[in-house]
Amino acid sequence: MPRLLVALLCAGYATGAACDWGSHRLALFMGDFGLSAAALAAAVSNFLYARSRRSRFRSAWLLFAVSSLMASLGNGVWGWYEVVLSQEVPTPSPADLFFLCFAPPAIIGLLVLAKRPVTKAGWICLALDAWLIAGSLITLSWSLALARTAEYDGQSVGRTALSLAYPLLDIALVSMVLALHFRRSPGNRKAVNTAIGALATTVLSDALFTSPLLHASYRSGEILDAGWFAGSLLLAYAPWVGPRGGAADADAGYDPSGRYQVSQTRPISGSLAALTPYLAAAVCTLGILCNVLNGHRVDRVVLFTACTVVLALVVRQGIMLLDNITLTRELAQKENHFRSLVQGSSDVIMIAAPNGVLRYVSPAAAGVYGRDADDLVGCELASIIHPDDLGRVMHEVRRFLAASQVEEPTTRIECRFRSGAGGWLNVESTINRHHGGLILNSRDVTERVRLQAQLQHNAEHDPLTDLPNRALFTKRVAQALTGRRASDRGTAVLFIDLDGFKQVNDTIGHQAGDELLVQAARRLADSVRSSDTAARLGGDEFAAIIVGDGGRDPGAREQQVYELADRLRLTLSQPYTIDGRDGVRVAASIGVAFAEPDITAGELLRNADLAMYRAKAAGKGRVELYAPQMQADVVRKAELATRLRSALHEGEFALLHQPVVRLDDGRITAVAAQARWRSAQGILFTPAEFLRMADDSERAADLARWTLGEAVEQAAERGRSGHAAPVSVRVSARRLLDRSMPLGSVEALLTRHGLPSGALVIELADNDPRAPLDELERRLTALRRLGVRIALDGFGSGYAAIAALRRLPVDILKLDRTLVEGVVESARLHKITSGLLRIAGDLGLTSVADGVDLPEQVVALRAMGCTHGQGAAFSGALDEYRLRRALARGQYPVPAGPIERVCVGVPGAPPRRSHNETPVPPT
C-alpha cells in the first residue's frame, strides 16, 4: 500500500506537469510550493524515523532530514518570488543558498550509511574511488557543457560561480552515491537502496536543470519538477522500508533421495566495485576523445583532471597491490595455521557436498575411525552412519537446514559411525553450513557413552549383588502398573527378609554376611522368570515383582504366586557354604501383595512390606498374603501410639497400687505400683494393648520414667504421713540398660523425695535372653548399693530366669502367675512350684506369688513355703485413698486349714474366677 501510494502521487504530479496544470498560476504554485511540501514531507519522515528507532543509522536519517529541509526551504523561497511577489527570481538569491546546502548533509549521510573502512589504506582508497568517479564526471561534463558555462560572457563572478556550483555539488553527490553503492552496510539494504535511488533521481533532475539546453527555457511546473517531486517522496518513504519477512539468505532442503542440497545467490557487488577505477579512467579517456574528435582544443581543466584521475588510479592500484601482497601473506599464514590445526586435531573434520558425498576428511580419521582419510573421501555420508540412526540424523539435518542461519548457526548430532574394524563408534558431531554443503566436526565419545551407561547402571543397581536397587525396582513396579501390562491380572510384589542374618554377621563376620547376601541374590534371580525383576532393597531385604500372565482366574493366580513364594522361601532357607564353612542357615519371611485397580507403586510396595512384617510376627520363616486388615492394624497402632503420646503429655495416666501380703498372717509388707490409663469417661482400666505398644514405641522410656518417679514420690508422701510401705516398680531389663534411665537419675530421685533405703523394689521383668548379663549385673549391683532391692519377676516361666538367678544379685523371687493359677488342680504344677519355692528358700530369698486369686491357692502356697503373695484373694489395685485405708488397717484375713483338692468341672466344686477378671475399683 505505501508503494502504491507513492507511485500514484508521482504519476499524478507527472501527469499534471505534462498538462501544464491547466493554468499558469497553478503550475507555478505546484512547481514551487508542491516541491517544497514534498521535500518537507521527506524531512519530517526521516526525522520521525530517527527519533523512533534506536539504530546505528540514526544520524544518517537525521542528515537526510536536514538535506530535505534545505530543499524545502529553497523551493519555498523560490515560490515566494514567483507566486506571492509575482516577480522573477533574482540570481543569486536566498533560494540558491538553501539549494547549495542540500548536497553536503546528503553526502555525509551517505558516508554514515556506508560500511566504513577500518584502516587508513581503506580510507585513502575510498577517497581515491570518489575522486576517480568525480574526476571522470567532471571531465565528461566539462567537455560537454561546463566549459561554456564557465565563460563569463559578461556575467558577474558570483553568477558564474553559482552556475558551476550546482553541477559540481551534484557531481560530488553522484560520486559518493556510486562510490558507496557497493559499500553499503548489510543492515536494511532495501531502505539504503531506496535512499540512494531517491538522491540519484534528485541529482539527475539537477543535472538536466543545469544543462544549457533546458536551463534557458525552464519555468516552474514543467515535467522536470516531477523528478524532484519523485526524489523527495522516495526519500520520505525510504526509512520505512522494512526487510522481507520470512526471507532467508539460503534456500535449503532435502531431496527425496535423502541427499541435502543448498542453493545460494552469489553477490556481484565485489566484482563491480573492482571495475570502478577502470570505468572512471575509461570515462576520462572518452571525455578527451570527445574534444579531439569534435576538433576542439583540449581544455586545461580537462587535461588537469584527467591527469589527476590517472595519478589516483596508479596510486590506488599501488595501494591495492600492497594490500593484496599483505593479504596473500596473511592468507598463507592462516592456511598454514589451519592445516596444522586440522592435521593435529584429535577431532575429525569433514566437508560434505550438497549431494552428501564427502569432499574432505582430515587426517585425524585414521586415529579416530581407524580408516584412512583418503578412503572416506568420495563416499556418501549416509554409508558410514548406523542404519538405526540414519533416519534421526537425516531428520535433524533437514530441520537444521530449514532453520534460519542467524537463529541457529550450528547444531549437534550424536550417532554411531562405522569404524575401520567393522564395529560402531559413538560419535558426536557439530554441524555448520558451508557453501551449499556441511562441515562436520566429529569426535569419538564411545568411552563417555560407556561411562555414562556404567554410571547409570551403578545408580540403579546394588553394588554388592548387582541386582536392581530400590529406585529402579520402584520404577519397574510403576511401569508394570501403568504400561502395557497394566491390564494383566495377577501382578504381584514379593517382599523378602532374611531371618537370622544379624547372627551371621555377629558370629562369622560381615564379610561372610556379604557373601551370604550375594549367594541369596543369585538364588533369588535364578528363581524368577526373565520377565520378572528381582531387587535388593537394602540390608537383608530383597524384593521381586512377578508380572501377570493375563489369566482370568484370580484364585488360581494367587495360588500360583503363593507356591512360587513358598518355593523361594525354601530355596533361600537352604544351607549356604561360605568360606569353606558348610551349614550356614538363614530363614526367609516373605510378604506377597497383588496389584489392584488404581493402586500406585508405593502403595503396592507398602502392602507387601506389611505382609512381610506379619510373617515375621507370626513366627518367621513363612509366607503371608496381604489383607486389607493389615493396613487397618497399622493405622490403629499409629492412632494408639498417638493417643499414648497425648495421654503422657496431658497427664491421663494414674498410678494404682496392689498390696503384697504375708501369707502366714495377712500383714501388708509392700505395695506393687501399676500404671492405669484414665479413659474419657473417667474409668481406670488396664490397657494391655497400650502397654505392649509402649514397649515398642519411643514413649516407652517416658512411661517408665513417669511410673518410677510417681511411685517414689507417692511412697515418700505415705511414709511422711505414717503409712510407710516399700513400693515395687516393674521395669524391663531392656529399659534398665537404656541410656534414657541412667543410674544418677534413680539416685537423684531417691534423694529428692527422701525415700529410705530398702523402700524401693525394682522388679526385673521380661528378661530378654539377648540382653548382656554382664552389663545387667553391673547395673543391678549399683542399684543395690543405693539401697534398692531387686526382685526377679516371672520366675519359672523359662530357662532365662534360671540363668538370671545364677548371675544377677536378686533379693526377691516372684513366681509367674501361670504357675499359681494351676497349683491346686495340677499335681505336676504343684511339684514344679514346690521345687522352685524350695530353691528360693535354700538361697535365702523372699518369695512372692503373683496372681493369687483364690483362698485355696493361698493355703497351697503357704504349705509349700511361699512367704508372700498378691492378687484378688486379698485385694485388687487400689487408688491412693483406699490404699491408705488398707495400710492403716495393716492386714487382710487369710484362710486357715489344710489344702482341699478341687477338680475343674466337678459338680459342687467352688466356682473359680479367672485371673484376667481383675476388678477395677471406682475412682
Side-chain angles (χ1 to χ4, degrees):
M1 184 60 68
R3 296 178 186 176
L4 180 60
L5 181 61
V6 171
L8 290 176
L9 290 176
C10 293
Y13 191 94
T15 302
C19 299
D20 293 331
W21 299 102
S23 67
H24 176 69
R25 189 166 185 80
L26 180 59
L28 292 178
F29 181 85
M30 295 301 297
D32 295 333
F33 291 110
L35 293 181
S36 178
L40 182 61
V44 173
S45 175
N46 283 271
F47 179 77
L48 293 177
Y49 180 83
R51 289 293 301 274
S52 63
R53 299 289 182 95
R54 294 284 183 179
S55 66
R56 55 177 176 167
F57 301 131
R58 180 185 179 190
S59 57
W61 299 111
L62 285 174
L63 290 169
F64 290 151
V66 173
S67 178
S68 299
L69 181 62
M70 295 296 103
S72 176
L73 293 176
N75 284 295
V77 172
W78 196 286
W80 177 263
Y81 281 104
E82 285 190 336
V83 179
V84 178
L85 301 180
S86 299
Q87 64 182 29
E88 186 178 354
V89 180
T91 303
S93 67
D96 294 322
L97 177 62
F98 290 121
F99 285 143
L100 290 176
C101 291
F102 167 79
I107 294 174
I108 299 175
L110 288 174
L111 287 173
V112 175
L113 284 179
K115 185 187 297 182
R116 291 182 291 277
V118 295
T119 62
K120 294 181 179 179
W123 283 105
I124 295 174
C125 289
L126 177 61
L128 291 175
D129 288 344
W131 172 244
L132 286 172
I133 298 173
S136 63
L137 293 178
I138 290 175
T139 301
L140 186 61
S141 301
W142 194 275
S143 301
L144 296 177
L146 293 182
R148 283 174 287 179
T149 304
E151 297 176 358
Y152 288 104
D153 293 337
Q155 297 181 4
S156 63
V157 176
R159 189 180 183 88
T160 302
L162 184 63
S163 300
L164 291 175
Y166 277 112
L168 291 179
L169 285 175
D170 288 340
I171 288 174
L173 185 58
V174 169
S175 300
M176 293 306 302
V177 168
L178 293 177
L180 298 176
H181 176 66
F182 302 113
R183 293 175 178 264
R184 62 186 182 273
S185 177
N188 201 356
R189 291 181 179 272
K190 294 187 65 177
V192 176
N193 289 335
T194 305
I196 291 176
L199 295 176
T201 303
T202 302
V203 170
L204 179 61
S205 299
D206 289 344
L208 293 176
F209 172 74
T210 57
S211 65
L213 297 177
L214 296 179
H215 184 70
S217 60
Y218 171 78
R219 60 185 178 83
S220 298
E222 290 186 349
I223 191 65
L224 184 59
D225 292 347
W228 285 314
F229 185 83
S232 296
L233 288 187
L234 285 176
L235 191 58
Y237 172 65
W240 306 101
V241 179
R244 291 182 181 178
D249 294 336
D251 182 20
Y254 240 82
D255 62 9
S257 64
R259 300 176 180 177
Y260 60 87
Q261 50 186 353
V262 181
S263 62
Q264 291 182 332
T265 58
R266 179 187 295 272
I268 61 174
S269 59
S271 301
L272 295 178
L275 294 177
T276 301
Y278 304 100
L279 292 176
V283 171
C284 288
T285 305
L286 181 62
I288 296 174
L289 289 177
C290 181
N291 281 274
V292 174
L293 293 176
N294 290 335
H296 299 150
R297 183 175 59 87
V298 178
D299 193 275
R300 285 178 296 178
V301 175
V302 173
L303 184 61
F304 176 77
T305 305
C307 290
T308 56
V309 168
V310 173
L311 179 61
L313 179 61
V314 173
V315 173
R316 189 185 187 285
Q317 292 303 107
I319 294 175
M320 293 301 298
L321 180 60
L322 295 177
D323 195 20
N324 287 338
I325 293 175
T326 303
L327 290 177
T328 302
R329 291 177 180 175
E330 292 179 356
L331 181 60
Q333 185 178 7
K334 290 181 179 179
E335 287 181 351
N336 291 332
H337 290 169
F338 174 75
R339 186 178 296 106
S340 301
L341 179 64
V342 170
Q343 292 180 354
S345 174
S346 60
D347 294 350
V348 180
I349 300 176
M350 300 184 293
I351 300 178
N355 59 0
V357 177
L358 295 176
R359 291 179 177 174
Y360 172 80
V361 179
S362 66
V368 176
Y369 299 152
R371 304 175 63 178
D372 292 337
D374 297 336
D375 296 340
L376 291 174
V377 174
C379 68
E380 291 190 3
L381 181 62
S383 63
I384 63 175
I385 299 178
H386 196 282
D388 295 341
D389 300 338
L390 182 59
R392 175 174 55 85
V393 172
M394 291 173 58
H395 174 76
E396 176 62 20
V397 171
R398 289 194 192 99
R399 186 203 61 77
F400 170 66
L401 294 177
S404 171
Q405 186 173 0
V406 177
E407 296 178 357
E408 190 174 4
T410 62
T411 188
R412 182 172 296 178
I413 295 177
E414 186 171 328
C415 60
R416 286 168 288 180
F417 277 11
R418 185 184 300 277
S419 66
W424 297 98
L425 301 174
N426 295 94
V427 176
E428 182 184 66
S429 302
T430 302
I431 300 180
N432 298 269
R433 302 175 181 88
H434 174 70
H435 296 301
L438 296 174
I439 295 180
L440 294 90
N441 192 342
S442 305
R443 63 195 60 87
D444 183 11
V445 294
T446 304
E447 291 300 325
R448 189 197 71 186
V449 172
R450 291 176 180 173
L451 179 59
Q452 289 177 344
Q454 183 64 37
L455 291 177
Q456 182 69 21
H457 179 85
N458 294 342
E460 295 181 340
H461 288 75
D462 175 58
L464 179 63
T465 63
D466 203 39
L467 290 179
N469 58 14
R470 183 182 294 272
L472 181 57
F473 184 74
T474 304
K475 185 186 302 183
R476 296 278 178 84
V477 174
Q479 292 173 355
L481 296 178
T482 59
R484 62 182 182 87
R485 292 184 175 272
S487 59
D488 292 346
R489 302 178 62 89
T491 298
V493 169
L494 277 60
F495 214 98
I496 306 162
D497 185 86
L498 299 181
D499 304 321
F501 175 75
K502 185 177 184 303
Q503 284 75 9
V504 174
N505 275 340
D506 295 340
T507 56
I508 307 179
H510 288 275
Q511 185 175 358
D514 292 343
E515 178 62 26
L516 187 147
L517 291 176
V518 172
Q519 295 185 24
R522 190 179 302 117
R523 295 182 185 183
L524 174 60
D526 294 340
S527 300
V528 298
R529 301 170 300 181
S530 59
S531 58
D532 302 330
T533 300
R536 182 191 178 204
L537 305 185
D540 59 346
E541 290 185 346
F542 295 86
I545 178 173
I546 311 300
V547 296
D549 57 359
R552 296 296 179 182
D553 188 356
R557 177 58 177 170
E558 181 176 314
Q559 182 63 27
Q560 180 184 3
V561 173
Y562 183 85
E563 292 175 356
L564 170 64
D566 195 57
R567 289 196 303 271
L568 180 60
R569 178 187 64 82
L570 295 175
T571 300
L572 295 176
S573 301
Q574 294 297 318
Y576 294 84
T577 301
I578 299 176
D579 294 336
R581 185 192 299 267
D582 297 330
V584 179
R585 290 179 177 270
V586 292
S589 297
I590 302 178
V592 182
F594 288 90
E596 300 174 356
D598 300 328
I599 194 173
T600 63
E603 293 173 347
L604 185 57
L605 289 174
R606 180 204 62 196
N607 294 345
D609 193 13
L610 291 175
M612 185 271 294
Y613 277 106
R614 178 60 62 89
K616 294 179 72 69
K620 303 181 180 180
R622 46 188 296 128
V623 177
E624 285 286 343
L625 299 181
Y626 170 78
Q629 183 60 34
M630 296 180 184
Q631 178 62 22
D633 292 342
V634 171
V635 173
R636 181 169 54 84
K637 289 182 179 180
E639 293 176 352
L640 291 177
T642 303
R643 293 175 61 188
L644 174 60
R645 187 181 301 110
S646 176
L648 287 171
H649 181 72
E650 300 295 336
E652 296 180 1
F653 275 87
L655 196 64
L656 301 183
H657 296 81
Q658 188 174 30
V660 178
V661 178
R662 195 160 52 193
L663 297 183
D664 57 354
D665 58 3
R667 184 172 298 278
I668 300 175
T669 60
V671 292
Q674 299 177 3
R676 295 292 187 269
W677 176 67
R678 187 185 301 274
S679 68
Q681 292 77 20
I683 301 176
L684 294 175
F685 61 93
T686 304
E689 196 168 26
F690 267 82
L691 296 178
R692 284 196 302 269
M693 183 163 293
D695 291 336
D696 298 331
S697 68
E698 62 181 7
R699 296 300 172 182
D702 296 337
L703 181 59
R705 284 194 298 270
W706 177 87
T707 303
L708 181 60
E710 193 74 10
V712 171
E713 182 180 1
Q714 293 185 14
E717 291 180 358
R718 286 193 299 270
R720 287 191 291 268
S721 63
H723 301 90
V727 60
S728 63
V729 181
R730 193 170 184 265
V731 181
S732 65
R734 182 177 60 178
R735 195 59 55 204
L736 278 176
L737 297 175
D738 192 3
R739 295 180 180 179
S740 62
M741 189 181 292
L743 184 64
S745 64
V746 178
E747 183 178 4
L749 188 64
L750 296 175
T751 304
R752 183 169 64 250
H753 296 289
L755 196 67
S757 177
L760 176 63
V761 180
I762 296 295
E763 294 183 3
L764 186 62
D766 299 332
N767 188 21
D768 190 348
R770 294 174 297 179
L773 289 180
D774 295 337
E775 180 64 26
L776 188 59
E777 181 181 5
R778 286 193 295 270
R779 184 63 187 270
L780 294 178
T781 302
L783 288 174
R784 290 190 68 185
R785 293 195 189 103
L786 297 177
V788 178
R789 292 191 296 167
I790 308 300
L792 185 61
D793 189 21
F795 186 69
S797 59
Y799 71 93
I802 302 299
L805 183 62
R806 181 174 59 87
R807 295 284 304 274
L808 301 180
V810 178
D811 301 301
I812 302 170
L813 286 181
K814 197 169 185 178
L815 290 178
D816 189 71
R817 64 187 311 141
T818 58
L819 298 176
V820 175
E821 67 180 359
V823 71
V824 178
E825 296 86 354
S826 173
R828 186 181 186 87
L829 282 180
H830 188 277
K831 292 180 179 181
I832 293 174
T833 305
S834 178
L836 293 176
L837 290 173
R838 189 178 305 110
I839 293 175
D842 294 341
L843 294 177
L845 302 178
T846 302
S847 58
V848 179
D850 188 15
V852 182
D853 298 335
L854 302 175
E856 53 268 26
Q857 293 174 349
V858 175
V859 176
L861 292 170
R862 186 175 56 201
M864 294 178 192
C866 182
T867 59
H868 296 78
Q870 68 180 77
F874 307 106
S875 173
L878 303 176
D879 59 10
E880 187 66 19
Y881 173 76
R882 293 176 180 273
L883 176 63
R884 294 200 178 198
R885 289 181 56 186
L887 291 176
R889 192 168 53 246
Q891 64 180 17
Y892 286 96
V894 293
I899 303 175
E900 296 182 1
R901 299 284 180 175
V902 295
C903 298
V904 178
V906 178
R912 297 196 56 211
R913 183 171 54 199
S914 172
H915 68 276
N916 291 325
E917 298 177 2
T918 304
V920 180
T923 58

